[in-house]
């Protein structure tokens, strides 16, 4: 009876206070979220995944049974399904695509494929992004979890998963814990569109960043691309030299080493 009452409470909370419910769920480990998701109806699970960063949703869905996973993907919006699948482990992604209904599977396969000369073919999704309504404390907790890679500059999205700005880690660490991310974030320069050619992106690169955010034409955040990695592909580098690129990345690596020392080892924090 208690379990039934607990389930009813979770369902009602998801229906009437989805933001607060998902915020609480996100604080759980991936394993704990998987267990919870498997106890929910697909309607309730859809609410969870719609309000969760795509990379974390992908990590959860990689561990649920395939038939349940297919049910989820057939009920969520196409853009959300695309974004989550893009962040999934490739074998799991392919397994899911192969089992989806023909039309849906074909549409998603087309959406995920880009020409090698386009930015969309080189997106990194395993990076930590922050919702604009996270508190500073919550952002630091996500960094410590180590589920996704934290960078010296982290990009910020809204509930529609649209890019709205970025926050520097040094400012994050120095801010009061109850401040909202939107109050300390900065608006960046124009992001890169996924179907843009690599050579065009490099020629117009904003030198303030070693990585730039990638979005679809509708503003949906997809991930980031690295100037160094794109330059290795042999495309035109514009006015940016190799030495400047390497220096920028070396500084970024040193910054992350200092950040790790300050916040502690993610695996140790998870165990404590």
């Amino acid at each position: 009876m208690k379990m039934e009452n607990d389930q009813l409470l979770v369902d009602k909370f998801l229906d009437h206070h989805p933001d607060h419910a998902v915020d609480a769920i996100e604080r759980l480990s991936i394993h704990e979220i998987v267990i919870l998701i498997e106890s929910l109806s697909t309607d309730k699970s859809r609410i969870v995944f719609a309000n969760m960063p795509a990379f974390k949703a992908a990590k959860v869905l990689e561990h649920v049974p395939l038939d349940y996973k297919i049910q989820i993907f057939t009920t969520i919006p196409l853009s959300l399904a695309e974004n989550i699948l893009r962040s999934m482990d490739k074998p799991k992604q392919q397994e899911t695509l192969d089992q989806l209904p023909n039309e849906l599977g074909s549409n998603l396969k087309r959406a995920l494929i880009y020409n090698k000369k386009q930015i969309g073919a080189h997106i990194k999704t395993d990076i930590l992004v922050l919702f604009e309504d996270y508190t500073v404390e919550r952002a630091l907790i996500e960094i410590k979890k180590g589920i996704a890679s934290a960078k010296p500059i982290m990009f910020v999205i809204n509930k529609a998963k649209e890019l709205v700005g970025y926050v520097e880690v040094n400012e994050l660490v120095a801010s009061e814990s109850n401040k909202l991310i939107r109050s300390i974030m900065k608006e960046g320069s124009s992001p890169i569109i996924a179907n843009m050619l690599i050579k065009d992106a490099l020629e117009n690169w904003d030198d303030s960043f070693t990585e730039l955010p990638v979005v679809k034409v509708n503003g949906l955040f997809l991930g980031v691309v690295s100037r160094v990695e794109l330059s290795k592909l042999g495309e035109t580098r514009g006015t940016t030299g190799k030495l400047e690129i390497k220096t920028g990345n070396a500084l970024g690596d040193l910054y992350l080493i200092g950040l790790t020392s300050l916040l502690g080892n993610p695996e140790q924090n998870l165990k404590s």
Side-chain angles (χ1 to χ4, degrees), residues 110-177:
R110 282 195 296 270
L112 290 167
I113 294 175
Y114 285 91
N115 185 290
K116 288 296 182 182
K117 291 188 176 183
Q118 291 180 309
I119 288 295
H122 307 280
I123 298 171
K124 294 191 295 183
T125 61
D126 59 339
I127 48 104
L128 180 63
V129 293
L130 305 174
F131 279 120
E132 61 177 344
D133 58 358
Y134 276 0
T135 62
V136 167
E137 179 184 25
R138 172 65 186 283
L140 293 175
I141 288 173
E142 291 299 321
I143 291 174
K144 289 181 179 182
K145 282 182 180 178
I147 294 173
S149 176
K151 301 288 185 177
I153 290 177
M154 288 181 288
F155 295 102
V156 182
I157 58 176
N158 60 20
K159 283 301 182 184
K161 313 292 175 63
E162 298 163 336
L163 180 71
V164 293
Y166 71 94
V167 63
E168 298 177 32
V169 174
N170 59 349
E171 187 167 1
L172 188 67
V173 172
S175 297
E176 296 176 8
S177 62

Side-chain angles (χ1 to χ4, degrees), residues 242-252:
K242 288 183 179 179
L243 180 59
E244 180 186 349
I245 293 171
K246 290 179 180 178
T247 301
N249 270 271
L251 289 173

Side-chain angles (χ1 to χ4, degrees), residues 16-212:
H16 300 293
H17 307 283
D19 289 345
H20 293 300
V22 175
D23 183 70
I25 291 169
E26 270 199 85
R27 293 171 187 267
L28 302 173
S29 69
I30 294 297
H31 175 68
E32 290 170 329
I33 297 174
V34 170
I35 293 173
L36 175 63
I37 287 297
E38 291 178 346
S39 72
L40 298 176
S41 66
T42 52
D43 284 345
K44 298 300 183 292
S45 294
R46 181 174 55 192
I47 296 172
V48 175
F49 293 124
N51 289 277
M52 183 182 287
F55 181 76
K56 185 177 287 187
K59 295 304 105 182
V60 172
L61 280 169
E62 284 176 3
H63 294 91
V64 303
L66 181 59
D67 57 344
Y68 190 87
K69 192 183 311 180
I70 298 303
Q71 290 180 46
I72 295 295
F73 278 111
T74 54
T75 59
I76 60 178
L78 188 67
S79 60
L80 178 58
E82 175 195 341
N83 219 8
I84 293 174
L85 278 165
R86 189 183 305 282
S87 298
M88 288 181 68
D89 174 72
K90 292 301 179 185
K92 293 285 186 180
Q93 179 195 91
Q94 191 59 53
E95 176 188 54
T96 304
L97 287 169
D98 289 343
Q99 294 300 316
L100 287 171
N102 289 338
E103 185 176 357
L104 176 59
S106 297
N107 288 338
L108 284 168
K109 286 176 183 177
R110 282 195 296 270
L112 290 167
I113 294 175
Y114 285 91
N115 185 290
K116 288 296 182 182
K117 291 188 176 183
Q118 291 180 309
I119 288 295
H122 307 280
I123 298 171
K124 294 191 295 183
T125 61
D126 59 339
I127 48 104
L128 180 63
V129 293
L130 305 174
F131 279 120
E132 61 177 344
D133 58 358
Y134 276 0
T135 62
V136 167
E137 179 184 25
R138 172 65 186 283
L140 293 175
I141 288 173
E142 291 299 321
I143 291 174
K144 289 181 179 182
K145 282 182 180 178
I147 294 173
S149 176
K151 301 288 185 177
I153 290 177
M154 288 181 288
F155 295 102
V156 182
I157 58 176
N158 60 20
K159 283 301 182 184
K161 313 292 175 63
E162 298 163 336
L163 180 71
V164 293
Y166 71 94
V167 63
E168 298 177 32
V169 174
N170 59 349
E171 187 167 1
L172 188 67
V173 172
S175 297
E176 296 176 8
S177 62
N178 62 347
K179 274 194 170 183
L180 294 178
I181 294 300
R182 70 165 65 93
S183 71
I184 63 171
M185 75 179 188
K186 300 174 182 177
E187 292 186 6
S189 59
S190 298
I192 300 177
I193 306 300
N195 57 8
M196 190 175 187
L197 293 177
I198 294 173
K199 64 181 183 65
D200 293 334
L202 288 172
E203 288 170 0
N204 294 281
W205 196 276
D206 182 343
D207 290 337
S208 302
F209 300 86
T210 56
E211 292 184 331
L212 283 178

